[in-house]
């Protein structure tokens, strides 16, 4: 069962605001599929399967709620041999419902209080108008939070990330991140952080997207192919240079490594979704300048730079 991990006693104000402003009708799925009490559980099971849903409210023809059939009821019916019976005989009739005008705050507390995966939603005339699942709530919340964070970002100064940031001798800005082999907890941090820095500096989204691609590919390469290294970003005027330097084992054949589709990724790495052999070619494609050096003793250094005012495709 998906619990909604929000504690309304100590959530930040922005979250509480969202929970109070949004209504159940903003998150519910509607229109919804309903069943009649005379439908067999088998028919209802087929409807669920076809529509990939896990619960169906049972109503009369006027839309008044009579009960609900959930996946659990179907499983019991299959176990007990009454799958061909009409829903009326076995549906859950003590249904807890929400009203379409209730706040999301109310809805979240329902999910945390009752162990149901979904609640039918009734309108002012007691007719079923929708259904709310925990995942409906979570996805709406994420969209609302994203919007809220954008507002906050526009008003607050950008926070300093976990990166080591320094001012270089020529007034340039230097940011460094370490990477560790197979540490996916910190993998991707450097790329996220540099995109934040660029956004705060007002760099065009298309440029920042290209930087993000290159940075991510080089960072992940260090994580999956090397013994770890450093991602170094230097911003001088309108230029951003990325230097991805690792401690080895180096790339024996650079030409091959730069070929689309060439990869030495192991099955373990491929299972994680890497290993298409596109990282280096893509990095070169999105960068304004690109170079790669590698040796078994020194490891690999990839350099990619970007004109932050540029508009390369
Ligand atoms: N930092 C590195 N250290 C050692 N070998 C590397 C490094 N980066 C890349 N390679 C080698 O170059 C090959 C090609 O790299 P590339 O990023 O293009 O593809 P990939 O990482 O295998 O797959 P993808 O990036 O599409 O997930 C890798 O399979 C690996 O053999
Ligand atoms: Mg790669």
């Amino acid at each position: 069962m998906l619990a909604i991990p929000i504690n309304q006693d100590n959530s930040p104000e922005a979250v509480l605001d969202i929970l109070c402003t949004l209504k159940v009708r903003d998150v519910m799925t509607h229109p919804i599929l309903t069943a009649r009490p005379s439908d067999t559980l088998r028919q209802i099971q087929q409807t669920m399967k076809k529509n990939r849903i896990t619960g169906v409210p049972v109503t009369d023809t006027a839309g008044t709620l009579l009960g609900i059939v959930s996946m659990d009821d179907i499983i019991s019916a299959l176990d007990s041999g009454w799958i061909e019976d009409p829903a009326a005989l076995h549906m859950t009739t003590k249904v807890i419902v929400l009203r379409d005008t209730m706040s999301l705050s109310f809805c979240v507390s329902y999910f945390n209080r009752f162990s149901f995966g979904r609640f039918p939603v009734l309108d002012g005339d007691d007719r079923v108008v929708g259904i709310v699942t925990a995942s409906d709530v979570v996805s709406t919340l994420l969209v609302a939070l994203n919007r809220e964070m954008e507002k906050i970002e526009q008003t607050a100064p950008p926070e300093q990330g976990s990166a080591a940031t320094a001012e270089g001798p020529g007034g340039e800005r230097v940011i460094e991140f370490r990477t560790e082999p197979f540490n996916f907890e910190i993998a991707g941090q450097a790329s996220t952080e540099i995109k934040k820095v660029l956004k705060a500096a007002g760099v065009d989204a298309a440029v920042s997207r290209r930087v993000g691609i290159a940075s991510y590919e080089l960072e992940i390469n260090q994580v999956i192919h090397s013994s770890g290294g450093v991602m170094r970003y230097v911003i001088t005027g309108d230029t951003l240079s990325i230097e991805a330097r690792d401690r080895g084992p180096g790339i024996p054949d650079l030409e091959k490594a730069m070929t689309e589709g060439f990869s030495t990724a192991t099955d373990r790495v491929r299972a994680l979704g890497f290993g298409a052999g596109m990282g280096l070619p893509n990095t070169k494609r999105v960068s304004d300048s690109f170079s790669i050096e590698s040796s078994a003793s020194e490891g690999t250094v990839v350099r990619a730079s970007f004109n932050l005012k540029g508009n390369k495709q």
Side-chain angles (χ1 to χ4, degrees):
M1 182 78 46
L2 174 60
I4 300 178
I6 289 183
N7 176 350
Q8 298 193 48
D9 297 333
N10 57 14
S11 292
E13 220 171 293
V15 173
L16 294 177
D17 272 355
I18 293 170
L19 290 176
C20 291
T21 319
L22 285 174
K23 302 287 180 238
V24 166
R25 63 167 172 263
D26 301 322
V27 301
M28 70 186 187
T29 298
H30 71 103
I32 50 160
L33 291 163
T34 57
R36 300 285 87 75
S38 56
D39 292 348
T40 65
L41 293 169
R42 167 89 65 204
Q43 285 171 320
I44 297 179
Q45 179 209 7
Q46 280 157 357
T47 308
M48 285 183 177
K49 198 169 161 197
K50 205 164 111 211
N51 298 283
R52 295 170 192 240
I53 50 178
T54 56
V56 178
V58 181
T59 67
D60 63 17
T61 43
T64 306
L65 185 69
L66 304 172
I68 192 163
V69 172
S70 68
M71 200 57 100
D72 285 345
D73 297 323
I74 297 288
I75 291 168
S76 308
L78 286 167
D79 281 350
S80 317
W82 59 55
I83 192 79
E84 303 299 345
D85 282 0
L89 294 183
H90 305 286
M91 65 192 181
T92 306
T93 48
K94 282 209 184 93
V95 187
I96 297 187
V97 295
L98 287 162
R99 294 272 162 193
D100 58 351
T101 49
M102 281 176 175
S103 69
L104 198 54
S105 149
F106 216 96
C107 181
V108 167
S109 69
Y110 261 51
F111 278 101
N112 294 335
R113 260 175 40 218
F114 308 104
S115 61
F116 297 121
R118 69 202 63 71
F119 296 97
V121 180
L122 305 187
D123 67 7
D125 297 325
D126 276 353
R127 304 230 192 288
V128 185
V129 284
I131 196 159
V132 176
T133 63
S135 90
D136 292 333
V137 177
V138 170
S139 47
T140 311
L141 269 178
L142 281 177
V143 172
L145 277 174
N146 206 26
R147 214 175 295 135
E148 205 56 37
M149 289 312 294
E150 271 177 5
K151 265 194 247 158
I152 292 170
E153 258 180 28
Q154 277 161 13
T155 50
E159 51 155 320
Q160 212 62 261
S162 55
T165 312
E167 183 125 334
E172 74 269 22
R173 186 160 179 200
V174 183
I175 307 172
E176 283 189 353
F177 277 88
R178 276 182 305 110
T179 62
E180 292 167 16
F182 279 86
N183 185 341
F184 287 98
E185 220 165 287
I186 56 168
Q189 259 183 20
S191 308
T192 308
E193 204 59 42
I194 193 67
K195 279 197 289 186
K196 269 205 240 166
V197 169
L198 296 186
K199 188 169 180 202
V203 171
D204 184 69
V207 176
S208 148
R209 207 171 304 126
R210 288 196 280 120
V211 171
I213 292 170
S215 169
Y216 180 79
E217 293 295 350
L218 297 178
E219 194 181 355
I220 294 293
N221 275 357
Q222 288 194 344
V223 174
I224 62 178
H225 301 299
S226 86
S227 332
V230 174
M231 295 291 298
R232 185 167 205 263
Y233 303 84
V234 180
I235 302 176
T236 325
D238 289 339
T239 305
L240 164 71
S241 312
I242 305 178
E243 183 191 87
R245 180 184 291 274
D246 67 48
R247 293 187 287 277
I251 303 176
D253 186 335
L254 283 178
E255 201 175 315
K256 261 194 197 160
M258 289 303 301
T259 308
E260 287 190 6
F262 174 84
S263 174
T264 58
T266 57
D267 287 345
R268 179 177 169 223
V269 168
R270 287 176 201 263
L272 296 168
F274 306 110
M278 293 304 292
L280 289 175
N282 277 344
T283 303
K284 184 171 181 187
R285 181 176 54 80
V286 298
S287 312
D288 292 316
S289 82
F290 175 93
S291 72
I292 180 165
E293 293 161 30
S294 190
S295 75
S297 54
E298 302 283 321
T300 302
V301 187
V302 185
R303 294 189 180 86
S305 71
F306 299 82
N307 174 0
L308 296 178
K309 292 257 157 71
N311 57 359
K312 170 177 172 156
Q313 282 310 300

